Amino acid sequence: ARVWSLQTGEPLGTPMEHTGAVVCAVFSPDGSKVATGSLDNSARVWGAQLGAPLTPSLQHGSNVLYVAFSPDGRRVVTAGLDHTARVWDAATGQAITPPLQHEDTVWPAVFSPDGRQVLTASWDKTARLWNAATGRPVGPAMPHAGKVWWAAFSPDGQFIATASEDRSARIWNARTGGAIATLPHSEEVVFVTFSPDSRRLATASGENIWNWPTDLKDRPGEARIWDVASGKAIGQPMRHRLGVLFAAFD
């Protein structure tokens, strides 16, 4: 991974190297650090300006697919194919909690807006909340009938949204883990994101997006907007010729 100057287009510091492909990279909230995840079964934390490693390798038992900083930048959560997410000290690289264990691939894993909890999505058909300090589960699992492709907190921390292979998105109470609404779709839902005011939810969907066949001409997708309080769709679906991977609010 590399950091580049927006003014000159020149690279800053040295390359941040793994021994396998780097599949994710993210800045810390203050911009001083970068975390990377790799198919070499590790994550790393680096100085953003010089590209020097700040911690030892953060080891998993298989490919690391996702990394995220806590809101204060002092911790990193990593997730991957070894069925776990893990919370680390961003300064020392020491594990803060035991592995957050699922029964299949975990992707993604993110901190709550207040940094006290970690949310994980898994191909074991559940999303889960965890105490970010102890690693203990918080409340019951949030189940779907298919793989959970994505999960996100609302900016105000009150809600969780999940996206699933079972052709639905769901909204949950972030405090209790209780289901609030199921948002039906005609294709697999692969991504969810809240509006900045937490009042609306955008979903992205498509059929077999993560296992694309050679010919996609008969596999359209759509993005949709939903009212979080009522669980009702706002406006018409925004149809695309092919599956939709992401959506964003301005």
Side-chain angles (χ1 to χ4, degrees):
R2 299 218 67 167
V3 176
W4 303 81
S5 168
L6 288 177
Q7 285 72 38
T8 67
E10 294 297 318
L12 299 175
T14 58
M16 293 171 274
E17 296 183 343
H18 285 259
T19 58
V22 176
V23 295
C24 53
V26 63
F27 280 103
S28 61
D30 66 2
S32 67
K33 302 180 184 72
V34 172
T36 54
S38 173
L39 302 189
D40 67 4
N41 303 351
S42 77
R44 297 291 296 263
V45 179
W46 314 79
Q49 289 300 312
L50 299 179
L54 301 179
T55 68
S57 293
L58 314 180
Q59 289 295 136
H60 275 252
S62 189
N63 299 343
V64 177
L65 303 179
Y66 200 86
V67 293
F69 280 97
S70 60
D72 63 7
R74 297 173 63 183
R75 292 161 294 163
V76 174
V77 63
T78 57
L81 288 180
D82 65 355
H83 306 178
T84 71
R86 300 172 189 239
V87 181
W88 312 84
D89 186 301
T92 67
Q94 294 299 305
I96 293 175
T97 70
L100 313 181
Q101 188 73 49
H102 279 266
E103 296 179 8
D104 207 331
T105 294
V106 181
W107 181 56
V110 296
F111 286 94
S112 59
D114 64 8
R116 296 180 179 179
Q117 296 178 328
V118 169
L119 171 64
T120 54
S122 175
W123 297 2
D124 68 6
K125 305 180 183 179
T126 69
R128 297 215 66 148
L129 272 176
W130 311 82
N131 183 300
T134 68
R136 295 192 181 98
V138 177
M142 293 169 274
H144 276 265
K147 294 176 181 178
V148 180
W149 294 128
W150 202 260
F153 279 103
S154 61
D156 64 8
Q158 295 187 39
F159 303 102
I160 289 166
T162 52
S164 176
E165 179 185 48
D166 68 6
R167 302 188 178 190
S168 78
R170 296 185 183 183
I171 300 171
W172 311 81
N173 183 305
R175 183 177 61 83
T176 67
I180 294 174
T182 297
L183 316 179
H185 291 67
S186 57
E187 301 100 5
E188 295 179 25
V189 186
V190 297
F191 187 75
V192 287
T193 186
F194 285 92
S195 61
D197 63 5
S198 302
R199 297 174 61 185
R200 292 163 293 165
L201 182 76
T203 59
S205 62
E207 204 63 32
N208 291 331
I209 282 183
W210 301 124
N211 188 27
W212 282 357
T214 303
D215 186 354
L216 283 171
K217 67 181 180 180
D218 296 322
R219 298 183 183 273
E222 65 185 29
R224 301 196 70 169
I225 306 296
W226 306 81
D227 179 77
V228 171
S230 68
K232 293 182 178 180
I234 299 173
Q236 297 300 311
M238 294 169 275
R239 298 292 292 174
H240 289 253
R241 184 174 61 88
L242 300 178
V244 181
L245 282 169
F246 297 102
F249 288 95
D250 64 11

